Amino acid sequence: MRHLLSTADLSRADAVGLLDTAEAMAATQQREIKKLPTLRGRTVVNLFYEDSTRTRISFEAAAKRLSADVINFAAKGSSVSKGESLKDTAATLQAMGADAVVIRHPASGAPHRLATAGWTAGAVLNAGDGTHEHPTQALLDAFTLRRTLHGHLPGGGAREGSDLTGARVAVVGDVVHSRVARSNVHLLHTLGAHVTLVAPPTLLPVGVGAWPCATSFDLDAVLPEVDAVMMLRVQAERMNAAFFPSEREYSRRYGLDARRLRALPDHAVVMHPGPMNRGLEISADAADSPRAVILEQVTNGVAVRMAALYLLLTGDDEGVVA
């Protein structure tokens, strides 16, 4: 891999390889000394044009635990607010010797433009672009789900080479504004899972029929059949119209509460990419239940991003992660 821009670009071998490498990284995080020398001398730039807490911190922690030098760049308060273009910003970073650029941008396609325009020689990692994709979030979701289904090794690790064949996952809520949903549909399908998108018609994107998944408007009918239910944040800040009658109505039809939690199979888990709107798409009962693996998703995000940085910057050199 040269860049990580979209889960649609990943073959099954690429995806499983990333998850296996993340398992190796996760094992190193159980040690007293968590830091590895793998990326010593390399520079990773976190280039964030949108506010972010967990993704930026997760990438920063991942890079630092691989001993990389990290530069955090937030558009707010920088020359971007004075009109500097992405091209000029990228040229500045290139002049500073960035080996990898982790970019979050409100415009769909900005990471692809950065990776293909020749503005930087470094690897480009998409940390979320517009309503398009968020590939490392999908990878950490798949990593968490694989551990849930196949985590039989010491420390909860999954068997090397395993995928998600036969797993059934419901992705529920604001699909039309969700880059997480798009990345998950592609990746989970590649790994052999069956995905059902559950949402009101107004929150499903045009052309969803061509996606490799099923769709439903009835959450109660879907829940008893799934291994995992992934609740999506209602992205009110992206809505320029009334997509549902009221928050109460949305919660009644598509929110995960204690009653719907009981409808899940005994082994099924609850996932959410965060941040959560408690009382809207998910109740406190569901968010704080033993079935919820939401904090595990956050923990696993560091290992997955370590794996992505490692594979992009060093290839698969044997013996580096030991």
Side-chain angles (χ1 to χ4, degrees):
M1 287 191 304
R2 180 73 179 85
H3 308 289
L4 179 56
L5 305 176
S6 164
T7 55
D9 298 335
L10 298 175
S11 66
R12 179 192 175 280
D14 290 335
V16 171
L18 269 161
L19 299 183
D20 287 344
T21 304
E23 281 290 358
M25 294 296 178
T28 67
Q29 299 309 294
Q30 303 303 314
R31 303 172 183 171
E32 183 176 354
I33 305 298
K34 297 179 173 59
K35 204 160 184 174
L36 303 171
T38 311
L39 297 186
R40 184 175 295 157
R42 302 296 187 95
T43 300
V44 175
V45 177
N46 289 327
L47 183 58
F48 277 61
Y49 286 80
E50 282 187 332
D51 293 339
S52 170
T53 301
R54 68 193 68 208
T55 300
R56 186 187 60 76
I57 292 174
S58 183
F59 266 112
E60 183 175 355
K64 286 182 174 177
R65 289 182 188 179
L66 293 170
S67 299
D69 296 319
V70 179
I71 299 172
N72 289 316
F73 176 98
K76 194 178 297 182
S78 73
S79 293
V80 172
S81 60
K82 302 176 185 175
E84 184 173 85
S85 66
L86 176 60
K87 177 181 179 180
D88 289 337
T89 301
T92 300
L93 299 177
Q94 176 64 24
M96 293 180 179
D99 296 294
V101 179
V102 178
I103 179 170
R104 169 168 288 194
H105 202 285
S108 299
H112 183 269
R113 178 68 171 156
L114 180 62
T116 59
W119 298 338
T120 177
V124 177
L125 291 88
N126 182 0
D129 60 329
T131 58
H132 179 224
E133 284 237 23
H134 194 349
T136 57
Q137 177 67 45
L139 283 162
L140 74 88
D141 291 338
F143 181 83
T144 303
L145 188 54
R146 192 176 81 150
R147 282 191 149 199
T148 299
L149 299 178
H150 304 298
H152 307 306
L153 301 177
R159 176 173 51 82
E160 184 175 333
S162 57
D163 59 17
L164 298 174
T165 297
R168 307 190 72 85
V169 182
V171 180
V172 184
D174 186 1
V175 178
V176 72
H177 298 110
S178 176
R179 49 200 176 204
V180 173
R182 290 164 198 267
S183 286
N184 264 295
V185 166
H186 290 305
L187 181 63
L188 293 173
H189 173 73
T190 298
L191 291 171
H194 302 283
V195 181
T196 301
L197 297 175
V198 186
T202 51
L203 289 178
L204 287 174
V206 174
V208 71
W211 294 18
C213 63
T215 59
S216 174
F217 307 137
D218 189 344
L219 178 57
D220 291 309
V222 171
L223 287 180
E225 308 295 330
V226 300
D227 300 296
V229 57
M230 185 183 302
M231 305 305 297
L232 298 174
R233 184 172 71 86
V234 175
Q235 300 188 46
E237 76 278 9
R238 296 184 187 274
M239 295 182 180
N240 55 9
F243 286 81
F244 44 83
S246 67
E247 291 188 355
R248 182 177 180 182
E249 174 69 5
Y250 179 88
S251 181
R252 186 180 70 81
R253 294 200 59 188
Y254 296 100
L256 186 66
D257 56 15
R259 178 183 66 81
R260 289 194 168 115
L261 202 61
R262 290 193 293 272
L264 287 168
D266 291 342
H267 68 281
V269 295
V270 175
M271 308 176 78
H272 194 298
M276 295 181 283
N277 293 312
R278 289 177 180 251
L280 183 53
E281 72 262 6
I282 190 168
S283 71
D285 292 331
D288 299 330
S289 77
R291 290 169 174 267
V293 294
I294 297 164
L295 290 180
E296 284 90 332
Q297 290 175 263
V298 177
T299 300
N300 294 337
V302 177
V304 165
R305 285 162 180 138
M306 289 174 71
L309 287 167
Y310 164 65
L311 290 174
L312 288 176
L313 291 180
T314 71
D316 56 356
D317 299 342
E318 294 182 0
V320 179
V321 181

